[in-house]
Amino acid sequence: MNVQGVVKKAMTAAAIAVSAVALSTAPAWAGTNGHAYTDFEDCGVLSCVTIEAGEGFFTANGDQWKACDLLSDGDRVVVEARWVSGGATHVYPVSATGGTGTCATYTKDIPEGVTVNLKVWHQNGASGTPKDVSSFKGVA
């Protein structure tokens, strides 16, 4: 009996089994996260300063977007998510309305691989005019 041949066949079989397991547990899709600020310049006599009023996030793992208020100015921060799927356009906003340091989150199942177009802005009240709009993207 050839011991080296038996060991070599056993090692080859083990390598094939490990490869099959590793390939079968790979994730089906890795999405893309997104992030942006709604900001503006406040200019004085000598210089201008960028003020970040709010922040928007998109997290692909869990299909979640979040609006965070960063400025105590009475405005709310809104993040709107928009995508096309199944022949329809889907639009879902979320608003952070509690003042500085508050965030609000929205979660919705989005088909894998779909591009989500997001906007973040701040506005005065529920029906105020969007100010300092920034756009960003994510992929579910």
Side-chain angles (χ1 to χ4, degrees):
M1 178 164 110
N2 183 350
V3 175
Q4 286 180 330
V6 172
V7 170
K8 187 174 182 179
K9 286 181 182 179
M11 294 292 285
T12 302
I16 291 171
V18 168
S19 296
V21 169
L23 291 174
S24 69
T25 59
W29 178 261
T32 305
N33 298 330
H35 175 249
Y37 290 96
T38 174
D39 55 21
F40 59 93
E41 283 195 341
D42 184 21
C43 296
V45 176
L46 299 176
S47 66
C48 294
V49 176
T50 299
I51 307 292
E52 295 170 343
E55 192 170 15
F57 299 90
F58 176 76
T59 305
N61 186 6
D63 301 332
Q64 185 177 82
W65 50 102
K66 180 165 66 169
C68 292
D69 192 346
L70 303 177
L71 186 62
S72 181
D73 61 354
D75 281 3
R76 65 181 56 209
V77 174
V78 180
V79 171
E80 178 187 87
R82 178 183 300 257
W83 68 92
V84 177
S85 173
T89 299
H90 305 270
V91 181
Y92 294 93
V94 62
S95 299
T97 60
T100 302
T102 62
C103 295
T105 304
Y106 197 99
T107 302
K108 181 80 175 164
D109 190 30
I110 303 170
E112 297 299 311
V114 169
T115 297
V116 181
N117 295 296
L118 300 109
K119 292 182 181 179
V120 58
W121 68 81
H122 60 110
Q123 67 186 45
N124 189 337
S127 59
T129 302
K131 299 183 273 188
D132 308 310
V133 179
S134 292
S135 298
F136 62 109
K137 293 183 181 198
V139 178

